[in-house]
């Protein structure tokens, strides 16, 4: 049981826009920023969005993040086949004094 | 460029210990902390703890306290994670990851390739 809650799966067709939600509490998302990680099959995770809505260099602006209260979301526009991956949200939890992750969302490009 | 290169796969029996290494290069090792994150087969990511590469201070997730020890060797720029009293549900890929900070935001910017630890009798 993950501390942050994500839908287990999401899907879309090429070119579509999809969103992935991440729900937490006042001790994590409610009091800290959210980072998003992309994990392609068989590889290590890679940071996609940090600080709720900032891009590391090299990440296309098709990916965007937002946060409101104790929830966050990742949006992917202009969906491409190479976006098929697992996506994880993460935040620092002040009560647990550690990082917590969502359970991950498997994105399928139909 | 920043690289984290981890040691190879391990097979251990229940009750044994495992020590995974993470060799860092491409940056000043003592400037950043290292976290360890694991992923059981088909499961999500789980943070295990963090170590300051400069001071050696640690912060372990409550779940692993008493069973995990994280250390660093600044002379070889290597971080280590030892997990003791292994159980079958410790079977997972273990990742080391280096944080980065932009303003007040910290995130895991660089990841090792992962080390598969299999616990089986």
């Amino acid at each position: 049981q993950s501390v942050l809650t994500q839908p287990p799966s999401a899907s879309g067709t090429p070119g579509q826009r999809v969103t992935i939600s991440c729900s937490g509490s006042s001790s994590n998302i409610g009091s800290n920023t959210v980072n998003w990680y992309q994990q392609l099959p068989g590889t290590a995770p890679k940071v996609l969005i940090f600080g709720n809505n900032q891009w590391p260099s090299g990440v296309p602006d098709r990916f965007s993040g937002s946060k409101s209260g104790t929830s966050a979301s990742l949006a992917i526009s202009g969906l491409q086949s190479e976006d098929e991956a697992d996506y994880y949200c993460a935040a620092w939890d002040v009560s647990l004094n550690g990082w917590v992750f969502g359970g991950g969302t498997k994105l399928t490009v139909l | 460029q920043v690289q984290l290169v981890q040691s190879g796969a391990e097979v251990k029996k229940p009750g044994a210990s495992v020590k995974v290494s993470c060799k860092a290069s491409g940056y000043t090792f003592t400037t950043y902390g290292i976290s360890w994150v694991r992923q059981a087969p088909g499961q999500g990511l789980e943070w295990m703890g963090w170590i300051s590469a400069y001071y050696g201070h640690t912060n372990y997730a409550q779940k692993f306290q008493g069973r995990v020890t994280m250390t660093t060797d600044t002379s070889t720029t290597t971080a280590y994670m030892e997990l003791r009293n292994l159980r079958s549900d410790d079977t997972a890929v273990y990742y080391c990851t280096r944080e980065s900070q932009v303003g007040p935001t910290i995130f895991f910017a660089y990841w090792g390739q992962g080390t598969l630890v299999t616990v089986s009798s």
Side-chain angles (χ1 to χ4, degrees):
Chain A
Q1 189 85 0
S2 301
V3 174
L4 306 181
T5 302
Q6 296 180 236
S9 64
S11 64
T13 56
Q16 260 190 334
R17 182 177 188 270
V18 298
T19 61
I20 297 171
S21 62
C22 175
S23 177
S25 69
S26 58
S27 65
N28 41 66
I29 293 178
S31 50
N32 286 292
T33 59
V34 176
N35 305 322
W36 289 90
Y37 299 90
Q38 177 193 57
Q39 187 175 33
L40 297 169
T43 69
K46 167 189 132 178
V47 62
L48 201 61
I49 296 286
F50 67 90
N52 300 330
N53 54 17
Q54 300 179 70
W55 296 276
S57 61
V59 173
D61 58 7
R62 299 189 297 106
F63 297 90
S64 61
S66 64
K67 182 187 113 168
S68 177
T70 59
S71 293
S73 63
L74 173 71
I76 308 171
S77 59
L79 200 61
Q80 299 179 5
S81 58
E82 56 260 40
D83 298 333
E84 198 160 274
D86 294 324
Y87 293 84
Y88 295 90
C89 58
W92 181 263
D93 191 296
V94 296
S95 295
L96 297 174
N97 194 34
W99 288 97
V100 291
F101 287 93
T105 298
K106 184 175 185 62
L107 175 64
T108 301
V109 181
L110 302 169
Chain B
Q1 73 283 21
V2 175
Q3 280 194 306
L4 300 174
V5 179
Q6 299 183 221
S7 48
E10 304 259 15
V11 179
K12 296 291 183 181
K13 293 194 182 305
S17 299
V18 69
K19 192 170 186 176
V20 179
S21 68
C22 171
K23 167 74 174 172
S25 62
Y27 71 98
T28 302
F29 181 67
T30 51
T31 302
Y32 299 93
I34 295 282
S35 277
W36 291 86
V37 175
R38 77 176 186 178
Q39 184 172 36
Q43 302 301 309
L45 303 173
E46 181 177 33
W47 180 78
M48 300 179 67
W50 167 91
I51 182 166
S52 162
Y54 185 81
Y55 294 105
H57 296 165
T58 55
N59 177 22
Y60 302 141
Q62 189 170 11
K63 175 177 178 177
F64 300 101
Q65 282 181 7
R67 233 173 31 107
V68 71
T69 300
M70 296 177 188
T71 57
T72 59
D73 183 340
T74 56
S75 68
T76 60
T77 66
T78 302
Y80 299 90
M81 186 283 300
E82 181 182 34
L83 190 61
R84 299 177 292 279
N85 193 19
L86 290 167
R87 308 184 287 255
S88 58
D89 61 358
D90 290 318
T91 294
V93 174
Y94 290 75
Y95 293 102
C96 61
T97 175
R98 198 211 84 176
E99 61 194 23
S100 281
Q101 184 166 0
V102 176
T105 298
I106 295 174
F107 56 98
F108 301 135
Y110 302 95
W111 295 71
Q113 83 276 20
T115 296
L116 175 62
V117 175
T118 303
V119 182
S120 174
S121 54

